[in-house]
């Protein structure tokens, strides 16, 4: 099934859609995340190996706020907690696919630099289309090197993830002769195996042609 990308909701938008009990739960969860962010160095409740309460809330977001809002709630928790790489890695490695996706969707909103690329690279090694689609977002566009970004695009084509999921696709593809070569090889392999060539491949191949600046993703 082709994944769809639902925009993350703001706190205001969530408040308008959640019921009273869910809003109260979210208020408490965000307060716990804010407290953890403010006391990262001075406090270790329950000892150094205790799981912060907001991380437990992260896992429970779908149960209390609805599966359709879980990504947005989890993103808000990560931002409020100012989640650093150790917490993100823990939530990613121990989480369900949905919890991993929320981590990937939020990376570009955190002050991480390129340190979280290990999580993106792990997601791109899977064949889970939800993770692949989340992994090629703004964080990957900003931090993946050319070699790994090209392979991320091929991963989208291989798994059936629409290339529209790849942030800054036009900018990063423009004039990329190596990407064009890889796309050509991929198409030749498909044809030789008697398989169809994804329409998205032709679209990306066209973008690799040097020329005037292509429209930005926002235009």
């Amino acid at each position: 099934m082709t994944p769809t990308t639902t925009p993350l909701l703001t706190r205001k938008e969530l408040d308008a859609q959640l019921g009273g009990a869910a809003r109260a739960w979210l208020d408490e969860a965000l307060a716990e995340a804010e407290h953890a962010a403010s006391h990262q160095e001075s406090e270790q409740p329950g000892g150094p190996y205790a799981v912060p309460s907001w991380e437990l809330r992260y896992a429970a977001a779908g149960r209390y706020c609805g599966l359709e809002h879980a990504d947005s709630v989890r993103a808000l928790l990560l931002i409020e907690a100012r989640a650093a790489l150790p917490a993100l890695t823990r939530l990613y490695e121990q989480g369900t696919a949905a919890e991993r996706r929320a981590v990937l969707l939020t990376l570009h909103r955190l002050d991480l630099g390129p340190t979280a690329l290990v999580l993106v690279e792990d997601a791109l090694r899977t064949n889970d289309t939800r993770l692949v689609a989340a992994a090629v977002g703004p964080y990957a566009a900003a931090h993946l090197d050319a070699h790994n970004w090209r392979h991320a695009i091929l991963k989208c084509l291989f798994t059936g993830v629409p290339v529209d999921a790849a942030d800054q696709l036009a900018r990063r593809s423009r004039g990329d002769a190596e990407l064009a070569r890889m796309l050509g090889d991929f198409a030749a392999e498909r044809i030789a195996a008697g398989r169809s060539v994804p329409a998205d491949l032709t679209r990306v191949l066209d973008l690799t042609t040097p020329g005037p600046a292509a429209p930005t993703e926002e235009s």
Side-chain angles (χ1 to χ4, degrees), residues 85-197:
L85 185 60
L88 293 168
T89 301
R90 184 165 56 246
L91 291 170
Y92 181 89
E93 291 181 346
Q94 298 177 4
T96 63
E99 291 162 32
R100 292 182 174 199
R101 182 181 65 240
V103 168
L104 296 167
L105 291 172
T106 316
L107 292 177
H108 67 291
R109 299 188 176 190
L110 303 168
D111 185 18
L112 297 165
T115 61
L117 278 175
V118 62
L119 304 181
V120 171
E121 291 163 358
D122 180 84
L124 290 172
R125 285 193 291 270
T126 75
N127 287 322
D128 187 323
T129 56
R130 297 166 299 175
L131 296 185
V132 173
V136 293
Y139 186 83
H143 297 294
L144 271 182
D145 63 27
H147 173 79
N148 286 312
W149 190 83
R150 293 175 188 125
H151 281 280
I153 298 305
L154 287 176
K155 187 73 174 192
C156 288
L157 294 170
F158 177 78
T159 58
V161 171
V163 293
D164 282 338
D167 193 72
Q168 299 296 319
L169 177 68
R171 178 182 67 80
R172 293 211 56 170
S173 300
R174 192 178 310 122
D176 191 336
E178 177 61 13
L179 177 59
R181 183 195 67 76
M182 293 169 69
L183 292 170
D185 289 348
F186 180 71
E189 291 172 5
R190 300 275 296 194
I191 292 169
R195 303 179 66 187
S196 62
V197 176

Side-chain angles (χ1 to χ4, degrees), residues 38-63:
S38 301
H39 297 79
Q40 285 180 10
E41 301 298 328
S42 62
E43 190 174 305
Q44 288 285 352
Y49 303 108
V51 176
S53 60
W54 73 267
E55 293 189 24
L56 299 177
R57 299 272 194 174
Y58 181 92
R63 187 185 324 141

